[in-house]
Amino acid sequence: MELLTQPLELPFMQNALMVAVAASAVCGLLSCWLVLMGWSLMGEAVAHSILPGVVLAYAFGAPMAVGAFVFGMLAVLLIGGINNTSTLKHDTAIGVVFTSLFALGLVLISRTPSETHLQHILFGNVLGTSRGDLYQVAALGLLTAAVLLLLRRDFTLLAFDRTHAHSIGLSTGVLSALLLSLLALTTVTALQTLGIILVVAMLVIPGATAFLLCRTFGQMLAVASVSAALAAVVGVYASYWLDISTGGSIVLAQAAQFSLAYVFAPRKGLLGRLRRSRPLSPADRLAS
């Protein structure tokens, strides 16, 4: 029992655990749509593109969440603009925008006096979160989760059949823009937990794990959110007892969940697919 209670005697561990769970659960929800819509690369683009906004916000004394959100939306607009006004493919536009903005952020960091503090934005510093950071993550997370759940049917139809969604009167352009805005907001929510480099894992792995395990989208939402929160708990405790990176521990816990689902998922797991593809023996045919 001491294994679980001793870390919680420290206030910074309490903050870290609550922030990690809140950010992971929200990322788990959004990751379901990103996986189904093939937007995983877009998640990576937004996560990396917010770096200059964070640096500029820090330099001018503004809230880092504001700078991150502004540059996240700027990345979305630039990608859409290049995609709509050129013959380049979507993934090419994403690559051009996010690498350019990420490089701009690195240059700004190199010219900022307090480089050490800003390194936490790249790699995360969940153990350094304050009670104020917790309130910010909770507020942004609740807002994102509320919109996702309130419009889940519209977003789900958009993911599965965009043409049908348009034919029944849904504004697919508005829904896509709203989902991308929530992606930017969710990235800001998870920024303090994992940092820019690892946040993309939180936006992909929980949804991929749930996709392998679930038959319905409702189940997928629940499994992705719960598994992401569980991985956050395991990662925070592992970082305390093993003295290792907290962000890395959380992502490795998610990766372990995905590996188990990839191999052992009843319908979509590797073993299940191999079993179904194997020819039946005479004894199996008699038994069936």
Side-chain angles (χ1 to χ4, degrees), residues 6 49 155 223 225 282:
Q6 182 176 325
S49 298
F155 287 142
V223 169
S225 185

PDB file of all heavy atoms in Angstrom, residues 6 49 155 223 225 282:
ATOM      1  N   GLN A   6       2.796   6.657  -0.702  1.00  0.00           N
ATOM      2  CA  GLN A   6       3.962   7.495  -0.398  1.00  0.00           C
ATOM      3  C   GLN A   6       4.152   8.640  -1.391  1.00  0.00           C
ATOM      4  O   GLN A   6       4.378   9.788  -0.972  1.00  0.00           O
ATOM      5  CB  GLN A   6       5.229   6.636  -0.339  1.00  0.00           C
ATOM      6  CG  GLN A   6       6.478   7.443   0.021  1.00  0.00           C
ATOM      7  CD  GLN A   6       7.710   6.560   0.167  1.00  0.00           C
ATOM      8  OE1 GLN A   6       7.629   5.423   0.630  1.00  0.00           O
ATOM      9  NE2 GLN A   6       8.858   7.071  -0.252  1.00  0.00           N
ATOM     10  N   SER A  49       3.831  22.854 -34.310  1.00  0.00           N
ATOM     11  CA  SER A  49       3.712  24.225 -34.809  1.00  0.00           C
ATOM     12  C   SER A  49       3.457  25.237 -33.710  1.00  0.00           C
ATOM     13  O   SER A  49       3.599  26.449 -33.945  1.00  0.00           O
ATOM     14  CB  SER A  49       2.578  24.304 -35.842  1.00  0.00           C
ATOM     15  OG  SER A  49       2.851  23.476 -36.957  1.00  0.00           O
ATOM     16  N   PHE A 155     -19.574  14.522 -35.488  1.00  0.00           N
ATOM     17  CA  PHE A 155     -18.161  14.249 -35.757  1.00  0.00           C
ATOM     18  C   PHE A 155     -17.959  12.807 -36.248  1.00  0.00           C
ATOM     19  O   PHE A 155     -17.133  12.553 -37.124  1.00  0.00           O
ATOM     20  CB  PHE A 155     -17.321  14.482 -34.498  1.00  0.00           C
ATOM     21  CG  PHE A 155     -17.130  15.926 -34.148  1.00  0.00           C
ATOM     22  CD1 PHE A 155     -17.144  16.346 -32.818  1.00  0.00           C
ATOM     23  CD2 PHE A 155     -16.919  16.879 -35.130  1.00  0.00           C
ATOM     24  CE1 PHE A 155     -16.968  17.681 -32.481  1.00  0.00           C
ATOM     25  CE2 PHE A 155     -16.743  18.225 -34.802  1.00  0.00           C
ATOM     26  CZ  PHE A 155     -16.765  18.615 -33.480  1.00  0.00           C
ATOM     27  N   VAL A 223     -12.895   3.288 -23.995  1.00  0.00           N
ATOM     28  CA  VAL A 223     -11.641   2.553 -23.821  1.00  0.00           C
ATOM     29  C   VAL A 223     -10.439   3.465 -24.032  1.00  0.00           C
ATOM     30  O   VAL A 223      -9.459   3.409 -23.275  1.00  0.00           O
ATOM     31  CB  VAL A 223     -11.582   1.347 -24.788  1.00  0.00           C
ATOM     32  CG1 VAL A 223     -10.184   0.733 -24.812  1.00  0.00           C
ATOM     33  CG2 VAL A 223     -12.602   0.299 -24.377  1.00  0.00           C
ATOM     34  N   SER A 225     -10.209   6.745 -23.616  1.00  0.00           N
ATOM     35  CA  SER A 225     -10.076   7.702 -22.517  1.00  0.00           C
ATOM     36  C   SER A 225      -9.574   7.029 -21.243  1.00  0.00           C
ATOM     37  O   SER A 225      -8.661   7.523 -20.576  1.00  0.00           O
ATOM     38  CB  SER A 225     -11.417   8.384 -22.266  1.00  0.00           C
ATOM     39  OG  SER A 225     -11.296   9.390 -21.296  1.00  0.00           O
ATOM     40  N   PRO A 282      -8.600 -31.721 -39.921  1.00  0.00           N
ATOM     41  CA  PRO A 282      -9.757 -32.634 -39.959  1.00  0.00           C
ATOM     42  C   PRO A 282     -10.497 -32.712 -38.623  1.00  0.00           C
ATOM     43  O   PRO A 282     -11.719 -32.774 -38.590  1.00  0.00           O
ATOM     44  CB  PRO A 282      -9.103 -33.984 -40.317  1.00  0.00           C
ATOM     45  CG  PRO A 282      -7.872 -33.599 -41.083  1.00  0.00           C
ATOM     46  CD  PRO A 282      -7.386 -32.348 -40.459  1.00  0.00           C
TER      47      PRO A 282
END
